[in-house]
Amino acid sequence: SQSDLKDYKMSSAHIDDDDLDDEEDDDTVVGNCLHCNAPPPSKNSTGSNVSAVTGNTGPCPYSNHGTAAMSVASASSSAAVNGGRVQVSCDDCRSFICDACHWCHEFQANHEIRVCDRCDAFYCRACDEMDQCEDCGEVVCSTCTTLMSCKFCGCGLCEDCATACGRCGIVLCARDAKFAVECDTCKMSYCLVCLASGTKDPCVRCGHRPSKRVEQLVHLRLKSIYKAFKQSGASVSSSSGNGGSG
């Protein structure tokens, strides 16, 4: 009937209004711009570009500390002119960066709001510091994963970039991967310590014992490391002796 159709249209319009109200609430930001301290946009200037990259897209000035101050100064004056529309905002606390400031996916460590490469969530440093892989540069939030740390240098590494020993579990970065050798059969990595202490132990993945090539490679690398440490110790002792005689 016509009355039922009228009631249906009114209820649909009410639902649409509620959806619009929810979207407006989601677009609300708090505080000032985290880069240039510009005030938040007025109600009529929000709405279309929260969490959307609409600002500068050239080489990131925040990768150069010498130009960062000039960039902030120019951004703040520009924000005063154009009303400082929102470029990106934190999904948690709703702090924001205005579109007069530079923001990009490159050099994310220099930005106050970063985006997770896995779930596309935006967080400011106060809500989620986020980890960044030292080798590939991937940025991940705490909800997605926690990066592994290299045993020697302590840098953060994602699963694809890390070299983990299949027996003791220590993690090595690409620079320190020379301290590990792969199984000939399944390519499982093992650190030199585990291979030297248990040369006849089978691989934990495929069950094969280390080949002669692996045993020779472990011997050569350990010998090279021992030689390097010995030379390093000799140079330190000679330099200290020269300093004492002077």
Side-chain angles (χ1 to χ4, degrees):
S1 66
Q2 290 185 351
S3 60
D4 292 337
L5 180 61
K6 183 178 179 181
D7 292 339
Y8 172 75
K9 288 181 177 179
M10 290 180 64
S11 62
S12 299
H14 180 68
I15 293 173
D16 292 339
D17 290 341
D18 289 341
D19 292 340
L20 289 174
D21 291 339
D22 291 340
E23 290 179 4
E24 290 177 359
D25 291 339
D26 291 340
D27 290 347
T28 302
V29 293
V30 298
N32 293 343
C33 173
L34 296 178
H35 275 183
C36 70
N37 205 35
S42 57
K43 288 291 184 180
N44 58 7
S45 63
T46 56
S48 62
N49 44 359
V50 172
S51 297
V53 179
T54 58
N56 304 314
T57 56
C60 181
Y62 283 87
S63 63
N64 186 330
H65 296 292
T67 60
M70 291 187 293
S71 176
V72 169
S74 62
S76 120
S77 60
S78 175
V81 173
N82 68 13
R85 294 193 303 173
V86 173
Q87 182 175 183
V88 291
S89 62
C90 175
D91 293 343
D92 195 359
C93 70
R94 307 309 299 170
S95 58
F96 73 98
I97 295 174
C98 70
D99 67 351
C101 291
H102 182 90
W103 187 92
C104 65
H105 282 77
E106 297 181 49
F107 306 107
Q108 286 212 56
N110 298 309
H111 294 303
E112 292 299 323
I113 293 179
R114 293 188 281 181
V115 58
C116 176
D117 288 325
R118 300 192 181 184
C119 68
D120 293 331
F122 289 80
Y123 292 111
C124 67
R125 292 177 182 273
C127 293
D128 193 327
E129 186 67 24
M130 293 204 192
D131 291 326
Q132 186 167 15
C133 177
E134 191 74 17
D135 284 351
C136 69
E138 181 185 29
V139 176
V140 292
C141 67
S142 57
T143 304
C144 289
T145 188
T146 301
L147 296 185
M148 296 177 280
S149 298
C150 175
K151 175 70 174 179
F152 295 110
C153 69
C155 68
L157 299 164
C158 67
E159 297 90 339
D160 294 333
C161 296
T163 299
C165 176
R167 188 158 287 120
C168 70
I170 69 166
V171 175
L172 303 172
C173 64
R175 186 187 63 183
D176 295 324
K178 59 182 176 289
F179 297 110
V181 177
E182 291 182 342
C183 170
D184 280 336
T185 306
C186 67
K187 303 304 180 183
M188 169 70 79
S189 295
Y190 293 95
C191 70
L192 296 179
V193 175
C194 288
L195 288 172
S197 60
T199 52
K200 299 302 180 182
D201 292 342
C203 175
V204 297
R205 176 186 289 172
C206 66
H208 287 81
R209 296 186 182 278
S211 64
K212 289 293 184 181
R213 186 198 71 85
V214 170
E215 293 179 359
Q216 291 174 356
L217 189 56
V218 170
H219 175 73
L220 290 174
R221 290 192 179 179
L222 288 173
K223 186 177 180 180
S224 175
I225 293 169
Y226 174 75
K227 184 178 179 181
F229 274 113
K230 191 174 181 180
Q231 290 176 347
S232 174
S235 62
V236 170
S237 61
S238 67
S239 62
S240 63
N242 293 335
S245 62

